[in-house]
Amino acid sequence: MPLRLERQENISALRHALAPLVALLVTLVVGAVMFVLLGHDPLRAFAIYFIEPLGDAYTLQELVVKATPLLLIGVGLAFCYRANRWNIGAEGQYVAGAVLGSWLALATHASEAGPWVLPAMLVLGAIGGALWGLIPAFLRVRFGSSEILTSLMLVYVAQLGLDYLVRGPWRDPQGFNFPQSVTFDDVALMPLLMGEGRLHAGIVIALIVVIAATFVLGRTLIGFSIELAGSAPRAAAFAGFDEKRVTYGVFAVSGALAGLAGIIEVAGPIGQLQPTISPGYGFTAIIAAMLGRLHPVGILIASLVLALTYIGGEAAQISMRLPFDVTRVFQGTLLIAILAADVLVRYRIRRVEGTSHA
Amino acid sequence: MLDAAILGAVLASIVAAATTLLIAALGELVAERAGTLNLGVEGMMIVGAAVGYATAYGSGSLLLGTLAAVLAGVMLSLVFAGLAIWLATNQVASGLATTILGLGVAGLIGSNFVGTRLDGAPELAIPGLTDLPIIGEAVFGQNAYVYASLLLLAAVTYTLARTRIGLVLRAVGENHAAAHALGHPVRPIRTLAVMFGGACAGLAGAHLSLAYTPFWASDMTAGRGWIALALVVFSAWRPLWLLGGAYLFGAVSILQLHAQGFGLGIPSQLLSSLPYLATIAALVVISALKHGQGAPASLGVPFVPDR
């Protein structure tokens, strides 16, 4: 089958914008097939999964709450992926940030600590995530170890560390032996933005991060050196950009943002440390980064779309008794569809006459 | 305290734990020698575990379950191959997508089987050899998967080193442009190599859910697919070295279980994290020793003719 991918010059902005939409459409078709296979009316399933969550104020707030960690982590990952560094351990950096930030909340628990606690926790969360992210960066720079595998292994280590803390030294002594820490004091909790619901100040922080990242990536020498390191490493070296510094830098930024997301989640919607503090945000954020085309504003939109798969998944769990894995199937399909759609936008598939071997 | 029977039992459990890793890593090694980095192993393994369990539970046949698991691994590997080889998308992203999809599909399939149990694969004794002290039980008292893994190792080692197929496969992995110029169909060869990897990952999953822990639990692969990937680096892309690597890691994961049993006062979570920490340590040592230079030259680079 002599098919050839032919590069398209001058791709219109429209075609570029179209790719994620086509990917969404394909995902919906695959989703419809999945619902039918599971024995559900696809239209009803779609309504419960994607439409009804958008219908009332409470779930709209939840949508933003779920999108916040995806947005923060996804923007951080964009730094890495633009530099062609494959940090896929954001989930671990998220946990590390949550743990270090929570340490302060627990250390000041039931004391007269003032309103400085929460800001300090956020700083510690970012530091915790950055330190965890710098481990694979260091191992890559110093020894040449694959950052893909080391960052991923550190996810398991971080999760086990969290598990140890909440079952051991940090367990709430009055918690009826449940593996969880004490509930954070008010000074250690994210302020709520509205009277009722769970919308908290984390989204404000995330939006500030979006603006800052858009500026840094698009308008500064740092952004340019990241871009160059990713797309033309030799040119970057000739231009005098230090590859090691780029590696450390992007891992520190993405780790810090993942850690920030972790402490915001723990100090926000959760309010205490538990063995599980993420439904896979660190991995879903990879999809958010890709779907958003590694651009902070794109990632903002992508995060909302992906947050809908979480909310819809919860709704389908309750009203249709569908396992939560439906959400993972949607997310995986979406990532596959974006990758494929990207190629089909940039290249045209041509039949080749004659005897070209594949 | 340690008599021969206990030692034999420990060795046997190490071999059992290592078998999953060995099978999956062999498949990945073949895919990588052909130039394709497949990060979908974890997803293919868990889909194999789920489909294998569901089929075996429904049919009552471990053989059917195993075949279904292999087939499921191959099907998912085709998704990856379509993206990474035929559409030439980034291999890291394609592999991750495959794993995320695989975890979801496996969860959906497995959700009907939570809390059920199967009779695990029987141990096949070899008359005479199984009665040997210590190693008898460890080496010759195992189930069919263990023997299959060793046969697979021998087959892969021989094929890669001694046959024309192996030569062409390595050529495609080392220099796809040259292989292409010589008339070798680069993308079909890579696709077959990835399908072999998918079959192995599926088989490894079947070993997990039909023999090693004969029940279904979501996320039961627990990163074994990723460790298999690391083992390939650890082996410097040489199949025989995989044997040592897999058994070493099997030993680490079994010893942490036994250490927990003895109650040494070490937090169980620290012991549980040992296989992952050991993986990192192994990666660091190997890359520091520059063994990593055994990597196929075209690994991770998509091939697009005439681009």
Side-chain angles (χ1 to χ4, degrees):
Chain A
M1 189 175 48
L3 293 177
R4 204 164 83 183
L5 292 172
E6 211 165 73
R7 193 175 197 116
Q8 298 280 296
E9 305 300 334
N10 305 324
I11 307 154
S12 68
L14 180 72
R15 273 184 85 132
H16 255 307
L18 227 53
L21 292 180
V22 172
L24 272 178
L25 204 69
V26 171
T27 306
L28 290 182
V29 172
V30 172
V33 173
M34 172 178 66
F35 283 131
V36 171
L37 287 178
L38 291 169
H40 290 277
D41 173 13
L43 287 180
R44 196 176 91 83
F46 275 130
I48 290 171
Y49 205 95
F50 289 118
I51 311 291
E52 282 170 22
L54 297 173
D56 70 280
Y58 176 78
T59 46
L60 279 178
Q61 282 194 37
E62 276 299 292
L63 191 71
V64 177
V65 169
K66 290 270 191 317
T68 301
L70 296 175
L71 176 54
L72 279 167
I73 305 169
V75 169
L77 290 177
F79 278 78
C80 272
Y81 298 167
R82 279 180 181 230
N84 207 14
R85 296 291 180 275
W86 288 95
N87 176 12
I88 55 177
E91 183 88 358
Q93 294 141 26
Y94 171 100
V95 170
V99 164
L100 192 60
S102 299
W103 165 78
L104 185 62
L106 301 177
T108 58
H109 176 62
S111 71
E112 297 295 311
W116 57 271
V117 172
L118 182 67
M121 281 166 65
L122 296 179
V123 171
L124 281 177
I127 292 174
L131 289 177
W132 207 250
L134 282 170
I135 299 173
F138 170 74
L139 297 179
R140 181 188 158 122
V141 167
R142 180 71 182 75
F143 302 107
S145 316
S146 158
E147 78 275 21
I148 298 171
L149 292 171
T150 51
S151 66
L152 208 117
M153 289 298 133
L154 287 168
V155 173
Y156 295 95
V157 177
Q159 283 171 340
L160 285 162
L162 168 66
D163 196 73
Y164 164 69
L165 288 172
V166 293
R167 288 175 201 277
W170 288 4
R171 183 161 62 188
D172 179 5
Q174 265 94 53
F176 302 103
N177 248 345
F178 279 113
Q180 58 193 28
S181 74
V182 294
T183 308
F184 292 178
D185 297 339
D186 282 347
V187 287
L189 288 175
M190 297 296 290
L192 293 175
L193 292 185
M194 297 186 185
E196 43 195 68
R198 302 205 301 165
L199 190 64
H200 56 81
I203 186 62
V204 179
I205 298 174
L207 290 175
I208 294 170
V209 166
V210 167
I211 294 165
T214 307
F215 176 75
V216 171
L217 287 172
R219 295 257 181 275
T220 65
L221 195 60
I222 297 174
F224 180 67
S225 68
I226 289 172
E227 204 74 39
L228 201 59
S231 55
R234 279 172 58 85
F238 285 129
F241 294 124
D242 185 353
E243 193 194 339
K244 293 174 184 172
R245 268 173 58 186
V246 171
T247 304
Y248 282 127
V250 293
F251 266 93
V253 168
S254 72
L257 289 178
L260 190 60
I263 188 61
I264 286 176
E265 196 66 12
V266 169
I270 304 176
Q272 63 187 166
L273 269 187
Q274 301 169 350
T276 307
I277 53 173
S278 157
Y281 287 137
F283 297 109
T284 304
I286 297 171
I287 306 177
M290 300 265 173
L291 184 62
R293 310 208 154 288
L294 306 185
H295 189 286
V297 177
I299 296 167
L300 169 64
I301 300 167
S303 299
L304 288 168
V305 171
L306 284 159
L308 187 56
T309 66
Y310 278 123
I311 311 270
E314 285 169 7
Q317 235 177 335
I318 295 164
S319 56
M320 301 171 72
R321 294 164 157 238
L322 277 174
F324 190 68
D325 297 280
V326 169
T327 295
R328 278 176 169 175
V329 174
F330 264 116
Q331 293 176 348
T333 310
L334 186 57
L335 183 50
I336 288 172
I338 307 158
L339 293 170
D342 258 356
V343 176
L344 301 180
V345 165
R346 268 184 289 124
Y347 297 90
R348 180 186 291 166
I349 295 186
R350 270 275 175 85
R351 277 196 77 112
V352 184
E353 304 299 324
T355 57
S356 167
H357 34 243
Chain B
M1 186 172 79
L2 277 180
D3 60 26
I6 294 180
L7 192 59
V10 170
L11 284 178
S13 59
I14 289 174
V15 170
T19 296
T20 316
L21 296 173
L22 179 59
I23 297 174
L26 275 170
E28 176 65 13
L29 183 131
V30 168
E32 291 196 15
R33 285 301 284 266
T36 316
L37 178 68
N38 175 10
L39 296 189
V41 181
E42 177 88 0
M44 295 170 196
M45 193 193 277
I46 192 123
V47 163
V51 170
Y53 189 89
T55 310
Y57 195 87
S59 68
S61 159
L62 290 178
L63 182 64
L64 273 184
T66 306
L67 290 176
V70 169
L71 190 67
V74 171
M75 300 269 280
L76 195 56
S77 76
L78 285 175
V79 173
F80 171 77
L83 281 176
I85 298 174
W86 295 93
L87 290 179
T89 54
N90 180 292
Q91 293 183 6
V92 175
S94 311
L96 276 176
T98 310
T99 286
I100 294 174
L101 180 69
L103 285 167
V105 170
L108 277 187
I109 294 169
S111 62
N112 299 321
F113 298 96
V114 176
T116 62
R117 258 196 102 82
L118 272 179
D119 291 331
E123 280 138 24
L124 306 175
I126 297 176
L129 296 177
T130 309
D131 302 326
L132 292 172
I134 303 179
I135 63 159
E137 191 187 348
V139 184
F140 301 109
Q142 298 282 357
N143 56 53
Y145 297 97
V146 174
Y147 299 125
S149 73
L150 297 174
L151 286 177
L152 208 56
L153 173 73
V156 168
T157 309
Y158 178 79
T159 307
L160 277 179
R162 294 262 179 269
T163 67
R164 194 181 144 70
I165 299 172
L167 183 67
V168 171
L169 187 126
R170 284 185 287 136
V172 164
E174 288 297 340
N175 187 336
H176 51 208
H180 175 68
L182 286 171
H184 295 303
V186 171
R187 289 182 293 181
I189 289 170
R190 285 199 172 151
T191 305
L192 286 174
V194 164
M195 286 168 71
F196 179 77
C200 288
L203 181 62
H207 171 253
L208 209 54
S209 68
L210 298 180
Y212 190 59
T213 52
F215 55 83
W216 167 258
S218 62
D219 300 327
M220 69 187 298
T221 46
R224 286 184 177 88
W226 300 109
I227 293 180
L229 273 155
L231 279 177
V232 176
V233 181
F234 181 80
S235 74
W237 290 267
R238 281 172 288 191
L240 268 180
W241 284 47
L242 275 185
L243 188 69
Y247 281 67
L248 194 66
F249 275 79
V252 171
S253 55
I254 290 303
L255 291 182
Q256 58 97 357
L257 283 181
H258 283 283
Q260 291 186 20
F262 280 125
L264 295 178
I266 305 168
S268 67
Q269 292 90 348
L270 177 62
L271 294 167
S272 300
S273 65
L274 280 181
Y276 308 110
L277 291 171
T279 305
I280 296 173
L283 282 170
V284 168
V285 168
I286 292 300
S287 29
L289 292 176
K290 298 290 175 204
H291 273 297
Q293 285 175 352
S298 294
L299 182 61
V301 186
F303 175 70
V304 180
D306 315 321
R307 187 188 263 183

